Amino acid sequence: MKKILVSACLLGYECRYDAKSKTCPKVLALAEDKDTVLIPVCPEQLGGLPTPRVPSERQRTKDGETRSITRPGAVLAKDGKDVTANYRKGAEIATEIARLNDIDMAVLKAGSPSCGKDIIYDGSFTGAKAKGDGVTTEMLKQAGFKVLSDEEL
Ligand code: SF4
């Protein structure tokens, strides 16, 4: 039996900042596979943030430098509030769930400041992206878990 941690929004949970889902047909197909167990998590909700919520981005520039207005890798909401602690807490809980369930891999939502992998929004709230992982993806990778984005599935 394969165990996969999955971003809840990919399974149809309306947990995104705008209270919508981002249902992924390939993830739904995995849910139909009798040899696979999916473990849905929404790290932003686990970190105590409400739904809907103000959108947030990790603060990076395109060349990877930290913006002068923030700490490295900090997560700021569009209204300027520092929500880094919520993101870290959600990442810690998601990683603990991954450990407790001894998952085989994680499939997480591309681009998100929590769940994004390799390329995420750059902190400018302009739609621009930069190299980097979301906070949960970074923590899962550091813990040794394999992570794929929904786009890589
Ligand atoms: Fe989806 Fe992850 Fe954002 Fe939650 S934190 S809405 S699971 S991308």
Side-chain angles (χ1 to χ4, degrees), residues 1 16 25 32 71 83 88 95-96 101 109 127 139 141:
M1 187 69 72
R16 277 166 47 99
E32 298 293 321
R71 291 176 282 117
V83 287
R88 287 213 182 108
T95 302
E96 187 60 17
N101 286 281
K109 175 73 190 76
M139 204 174 283
K141 281 182 173 179

mmCIF file with all atom_site columns, all heavy atoms in Angstrom, residues 1 16 25 32 71 83 88 95-96 101 109 127 139 141:
data_model
loop_
_atom_site.group_PDB
_atom_site.id
_atom_site.type_symbol
_atom_site.label_atom_id
_atom_site.label_alt_id
_atom_site.label_comp_id
_atom_site.label_asym_id
_atom_site.label_entity_id
_atom_site.label_seq_id
_atom_site.pdbx_PDB_ins_code
_atom_site.Cartn_x
_atom_site.Cartn_y
_atom_site.Cartn_z
_atom_site.occupancy
_atom_site.B_iso_or_equiv
_atom_site.pdbx_formal_charge
_atom_site.auth_seq_id
_atom_site.auth_comp_id
_atom_site.auth_asym_id
_atom_site.auth_atom_id
_atom_site.pdbx_PDB_model_num
ATOM 1   N N   . MET A 1 1   ? 0.850   -1.212 0.000   1.00 0.00 ? 1   MET A N   1
ATOM 2   C CA  . MET A 1 1   ? 0.000   0.000  0.000   1.00 0.00 ? 1   MET A CA  1
ATOM 3   C C   . MET A 1 1   ? 0.878   1.253  0.000   1.00 0.00 ? 1   MET A C   1
ATOM 4   O O   . MET A 1 1   ? 1.738   1.398  0.857   1.00 0.00 ? 1   MET A O   1
ATOM 5   C CB  . MET A 1 1   ? -0.889  -0.027 1.253   1.00 0.00 ? 1   MET A CB  1
ATOM 6   C CG  . MET A 1 1   ? -1.931  1.045  1.324   1.00 0.00 ? 1   MET A CG  1
ATOM 7   S SD  . MET A 1 1   ? -3.239  0.881  0.120   1.00 0.00 ? 1   MET A SD  1
ATOM 8   C CE  . MET A 1 1   ? -4.141  -0.514 0.748   1.00 0.00 ? 1   MET A CE  1
ATOM 9   N N   . ARG A 1 16  ? -8.245  26.927 0.044   1.00 0.00 ? 16  ARG A N   1
ATOM 10  C CA  . ARG A 1 16  ? -7.324  27.959 -0.440  1.00 0.00 ? 16  ARG A CA  1
ATOM 11  C C   . ARG A 1 16  ? -7.643  29.321 0.171   1.00 0.00 ? 16  ARG A C   1
ATOM 12  O O   . ARG A 1 16  ? -8.694  29.522 0.755   1.00 0.00 ? 16  ARG A O   1
ATOM 13  C CB  . ARG A 1 16  ? -7.401  28.044 -1.965  1.00 0.00 ? 16  ARG A CB  1
ATOM 14  C CG  . ARG A 1 16  ? -6.538  27.000 -2.668  1.00 0.00 ? 16  ARG A CG  1
ATOM 15  C CD  . ARG A 1 16  ? -6.898  26.881 -4.120  1.00 0.00 ? 16  ARG A CD  1
ATOM 16  N NE  . ARG A 1 16  ? -7.017  28.157 -4.789  1.00 0.00 ? 16  ARG A NE  1
ATOM 17  C CZ  . ARG A 1 16  ? -6.059  28.707 -5.547  1.00 0.00 ? 16  ARG A CZ  1
ATOM 18  N NH1 . ARG A 1 16  ? -4.909  28.095 -5.703  1.00 0.00 ? 16  ARG A NH1 1
ATOM 19  N NH2 . ARG A 1 16  ? -6.266  29.859 -6.143  1.00 0.00 ? 16  ARG A NH2 1
ATOM 20  N N   . PRO A 1 25  ? -7.284  16.436 -11.530 1.00 0.00 ? 25  PRO A N   1
ATOM 21  C CA  . PRO A 1 25  ? -7.792  15.134 -11.992 1.00 0.00 ? 25  PRO A CA  1
ATOM 22  C C   . PRO A 1 25  ? -6.816  13.994 -11.720 1.00 0.00 ? 25  PRO A C   1
ATOM 23  O O   . PRO A 1 25  ? -7.250  12.873 -11.394 1.00 0.00 ? 25  PRO A O   1
ATOM 24  C CB  . PRO A 1 25  ? -7.976  15.350 -13.501 1.00 0.00 ? 25  PRO A CB  1
ATOM 25  C CG  . PRO A 1 25  ? -8.177  16.826 -13.648 1.00 0.00 ? 25  PRO A CG  1
ATOM 26  C CD  . PRO A 1 25  ? -7.318  17.455 -12.595 1.00 0.00 ? 25  PRO A CD  1
ATOM 27  N N   . GLU A 1 32  ? -8.777  7.006  -6.452  1.00 0.00 ? 32  GLU A N   1
ATOM 28  C CA  . GLU A 1 32  ? -9.546  5.838  -6.912  1.00 0.00 ? 32  GLU A CA  1
ATOM 29  C C   . GLU A 1 32  ? -8.717  4.555  -6.864  1.00 0.00 ? 32  GLU A C   1
ATOM 30  O O   . GLU A 1 32  ? -9.249  3.458  -7.000  1.00 0.00 ? 32  GLU A O   1
ATOM 31  C CB  . GLU A 1 32  ? -10.026 6.067  -8.351  1.00 0.00 ? 32  GLU A CB  1
ATOM 32  C CG  . GLU A 1 32  ? -10.975 7.250  -8.515  1.00 0.00 ? 32  GLU A CG  1
ATOM 33  C CD  . GLU A 1 32  ? -12.300 6.996  -7.825  1.00 0.00 ? 32  GLU A CD  1
ATOM 34  O OE1 . GLU A 1 32  ? -12.781 5.857  -7.879  1.00 0.00 ? 32  GLU A OE1 1
ATOM 35  O OE2 . GLU A 1 32  ? -12.833 7.944  -7.212  1.00 0.00 ? 32  GLU A OE2 1
ATOM 36  N N   . ARG A 1 71  ? 12.880  39.460 6.433   1.00 0.00 ? 71  ARG A N   1
ATOM 37  C CA  . ARG A 1 71  ? 13.879  38.460 6.776   1.00 0.00 ? 71  ARG A CA  1
ATOM 38  C C   . ARG A 1 71  ? 13.934  37.410 5.668   1.00 0.00 ? 71  ARG A C   1
ATOM 39  O O   . ARG A 1 71  ? 12.971  37.230 4.936   1.00 0.00 ? 71  ARG A O   1
ATOM 40  C CB  . ARG A 1 71  ? 13.498  37.784 8.094   1.00 0.00 ? 71  ARG A CB  1
ATOM 41  C CG  . ARG A 1 71  ? 13.613  38.695 9.293   1.00 0.00 ? 71  ARG A CG  1
ATOM 42  C CD  . ARG A 1 71  ? 13.122  38.001 10.545  1.00 0.00 ? 71  ARG A CD  1
ATOM 43  N NE  . ARG A 1 71  ? 11.667  37.984 10.593  1.00 0.00 ? 71  ARG A NE  1
ATOM 44  C CZ  . ARG A 1 71  ? 10.940  36.889 10.568  1.00 0.00 ? 71  ARG A CZ  1
ATOM 45  N NH1 . ARG A 1 71  ? 11.509  35.725 10.476  1.00 0.00 ? 71  ARG A NH1 1
ATOM 46  N NH2 . ARG A 1 71  ? 9.638   36.948 10.629  1.00 0.00 ? 71  ARG A NH2 1
ATOM 47  N N   . VAL A 1 83  ? 3.297   36.468 8.528   1.00 0.00 ? 83  VAL A N   1
ATOM 48  C CA  . VAL A 1 83  ? 2.605   35.224 8.896   1.00 0.00 ? 83  VAL A CA  1
ATOM 49  C C   . VAL A 1 83  ? 3.575   34.039 8.891   1.00 0.00 ? 83  VAL A C   1
ATOM 50  O O   . VAL A 1 83  ? 3.156   32.889 8.830   1.00 0.00 ? 83  VAL A O   1
ATOM 51  C CB  . VAL A 1 83  ? 1.401   34.959 7.954   1.00 0.00 ? 83  VAL A CB  1
ATOM 52  C CG1 . VAL A 1 83  ? 0.260   35.912 8.241   1.00 0.00 ? 83  VAL A CG1 1
ATOM 53  C CG2 . VAL A 1 83  ? 1.823   35.037 6.480   1.00 0.00 ? 83  VAL A CG2 1
ATOM 54  N N   . ARG A 1 88  ? 5.322   28.212 9.450   1.00 0.00 ? 88  ARG A N   1
ATOM 55  C CA  . ARG A 1 88  ? 6.245   27.241 10.056  1.00 0.00 ? 88  ARG A CA  1
ATOM 56  C C   . ARG A 1 88  ? 5.476   26.205 10.870  1.00 0.00 ? 88  ARG A C   1
ATOM 57  O O   . ARG A 1 88  ? 5.767   25.007 10.813  1.00 0.00 ? 88  ARG A O   1
ATOM 58  C CB  . ARG A 1 88  ? 7.247   27.963 10.965  1.00 0.00 ? 88  ARG A CB  1
ATOM 59  C CG  . ARG A 1 88  ? 8.279   28.726 10.177  1.00 0.00 ? 88  ARG A CG  1
ATOM 60  C CD  . ARG A 1 88  ? 9.634   28.736 10.904  1.00 0.00 ? 88  ARG A CD  1
ATOM 61  N NE  . ARG A 1 88  ? 10.577  29.529 10.135  1.00 0.00 ? 88  ARG A NE  1
ATOM 62  C CZ  . ARG A 1 88  ? 11.013  30.727 10.498  1.00 0.00 ? 88  ARG A CZ  1
ATOM 63  N NH1 . ARG A 1 88  ? 10.628  31.263 11.640  1.00 0.00 ? 88  ARG A NH1 1
ATOM 64  N NH2 . ARG A 1 88  ? 11.857  31.385 9.737   1.00 0.00 ? 88  ARG A NH2 1
ATOM 65  N N   . THR A 1 95  ? 4.680   17.867 8.506   1.00 0.00 ? 95  THR A N   1
ATOM 66  C CA  . THR A 1 95  ? 5.848   16.975 8.496   1.00 0.00 ? 95  THR A CA  1
ATOM 67  C C   . THR A 1 95  ? 5.705   15.891 9.560   1.00 0.00 ? 95  THR A C   1
ATOM 68  O O   . THR A 1 95  ? 6.079   14.735 9.340   1.00 0.00 ? 95  THR A O   1
ATOM 69  C CB  . THR A 1 95  ? 7.135   17.792 8.714   1.00 0.00 ? 95  THR A CB  1
ATOM 70  O OG1 . THR A 1 95  ? 7.216   18.780 7.690   1.00 0.00 ? 95  THR A OG1 1
ATOM 71  C CG2 . THR A 1 95  ? 8.380   16.910 8.642   1.00 0.00 ? 95  THR A CG2 1
ATOM 72  N N   . GLU A 1 96  ? 5.134   16.244 10.694  1.00 0.00 ? 96  GLU A N   1
ATOM 73  C CA  . GLU A 1 96  ? 4.892   15.237 11.741  1.00 0.00 ? 96  GLU A CA  1
ATOM 74  C C   . GLU A 1 96  ? 3.860   14.215 11.258  1.00 0.00 ? 96  GLU A C   1
ATOM 75  O O   . GLU A 1 96  ? 4.009   13.007 11.500  1.00 0.00 ? 96  GLU A O   1
ATOM 76  C CB  . GLU A 1 96  ? 4.417   15.931 13.023  1.00 0.00 ? 96  GLU A CB  1
ATOM 77  C CG  . GLU A 1 96  ? 4.291   15.020 14.230  1.00 0.00 ? 96  GLU A CG  1
ATOM 78  C CD  . GLU A 1 96  ? 5.613   14.337 14.627  1.00 0.00 ? 96  GLU A CD  1
ATOM 79  O OE1 . GLU A 1 96  ? 6.679   14.789 14.203  1.00 0.00 ? 96  GLU A OE1 1
ATOM 80  O OE2 . GLU A 1 96  ? 5.527   13.321 15.346  1.00 0.00 ? 96  GLU A OE2 1
ATOM 81  N N   . ASN A 1 101 ? 2.788   8.705  9.611   1.00 0.00 ? 101 ASN A N   1
ATOM 82  C CA  . ASN A 1 101 ? 2.173   7.802  8.627   1.00 0.00 ? 101 ASN A CA  1
ATOM 83  C C   . ASN A 1 101 ? 3.198   7.101  7.752   1.00 0.00 ? 101 ASN A C   1
ATOM 84  O O   . ASN A 1 101 ? 2.831   6.299  6.903   1.00 0.00 ? 101 ASN A O   1
ATOM 85  C CB  . ASN A 1 101 ? 1.187   8.587  7.755   1.00 0.00 ? 101 ASN A CB  1
ATOM 86  C CG  . ASN A 1 101 ? -0.082  8.926  8.509   1.00 0.00 ? 101 ASN A CG  1
ATOM 87  O OD1 . ASN A 1 101 ? -0.956  8.081  8.672   1.00 0.00 ? 101 ASN A OD1 1
ATOM 88  N ND2 . ASN A 1 101 ? -0.168  10.150 9.007   1.00 0.00 ? 101 ASN A ND2 1
ATOM 89  N N   . LYS A 1 109 ? 0.767   21.247 -4.064  1.00 0.00 ? 109 LYS A N   1
ATOM 90  C CA  . LYS A 1 109 ? 0.297   22.222 -5.068  1.00 0.00 ? 109 LYS A CA  1
ATOM 91  C C   . LYS A 1 109 ? 1.412   23.182 -5.505  1.00 0.00 ? 109 LYS A C   1
ATOM 92  O O   . LYS A 1 109 ? 2.008   23.880 -4.687  1.00 0.00 ? 109 LYS A O   1
ATOM 93  C CB  . LYS A 1 109 ? -0.867  23.024 -4.467  1.00 0.00 ? 109 LYS A CB  1
ATOM 94  C CG  . LYS A 1 109 ? -1.388  24.146 -5.336  1.00 0.00 ? 109 LYS A CG  1
ATOM 95  C CD  . LYS A 1 109 ? -2.179  23.603 -6.493  1.00 0.00 ? 109 LYS A CD  1
ATOM 96  C CE  . LYS A 1 109 ? -2.499  24.709 -7.486  1.00 0.00 ? 109 LYS A CE  1
ATOM 97  N NZ  . LYS A 1 109 ? -1.345  25.098 -8.317  1.00 0.00 ? 109 LYS A NZ  1
ATOM 98  N N   . GLY A 1 127 ? 2.495   38.340 -9.573  1.00 0.00 ? 127 GLY A N   1
ATOM 99  C CA  . GLY A 1 127 ? 2.390   37.141 -10.409 1.00 0.00 ? 127 GLY A CA  1
ATOM 100 C C   . GLY A 1 127 ? 3.755   36.622 -10.821 1.00 0.00 ? 127 GLY A C   1
ATOM 101 O O   . GLY A 1 127 ? 3.848   35.551 -11.420 1.00 0.00 ? 127 GLY A O   1
ATOM 102 N N   . MET A 1 139 ? 10.469  21.934 4.394   1.00 0.00 ? 139 MET A N   1
ATOM 103 C CA  . MET A 1 139 ? 10.635  21.148 5.619   1.00 0.00 ? 139 MET A CA  1
ATOM 104 C C   . MET A 1 139 ? 10.537  19.650 5.327   1.00 0.00 ? 139 MET A C   1
ATOM 105 O O   . MET A 1 139 ? 11.290  18.845 5.884   1.00 0.00 ? 139 MET A O   1
ATOM 106 C CB  . MET A 1 139 ? 9.593   21.577 6.654   1.00 0.00 ? 139 MET A CB  1
ATOM 107 C CG  . MET A 1 139 ? 10.013  21.288 8.080   1.00 0.00 ? 139 MET A CG  1
ATOM 108 S SD  . MET A 1 139 ? 8.865   21.954 9.297   1.00 0.00 ? 139 MET A SD  1
ATOM 109 C CE  . MET A 1 139 ? 9.277   23.699 9.290   1.00 0.00 ? 139 MET A CE  1
ATOM 110 N N   . LYS A 1 141 ? 11.302  18.161 2.511   1.00 0.00 ? 141 LYS A N   1
ATOM 111 C CA  . LYS A 1 141 ? 12.549  17.772 1.841   1.00 0.00 ? 141 LYS A CA  1
ATOM 112 C C   . LYS A 1 141 ? 13.683  17.622 2.862   1.00 0.00 ? 141 LYS A C   1
ATOM 113 O O   . LYS A 1 141 ? 14.458  16.659 2.811   1.00 0.00 ? 141 LYS A O   1
ATOM 114 C CB  . LYS A 1 141 ? 12.945  18.838 0.809   1.00 0.00 ? 141 LYS A CB  1
ATOM 115 C CG  . LYS A 1 141 ? 12.199  18.774 -0.512  1.00 0.00 ? 141 LYS A CG  1
ATOM 116 C CD  . LYS A 1 141 ? 12.771  19.876 -1.416  1.00 0.00 ? 141 LYS A CD  1
ATOM 117 C CE  . LYS A 1 141 ? 12.249  19.851 -2.818  1.00 0.00 ? 141 LYS A CE  1
ATOM 118 N NZ  . LYS A 1 141 ? 12.814  20.958 -3.634  1.00 0.00 ? 141 LYS A NZ  1
#
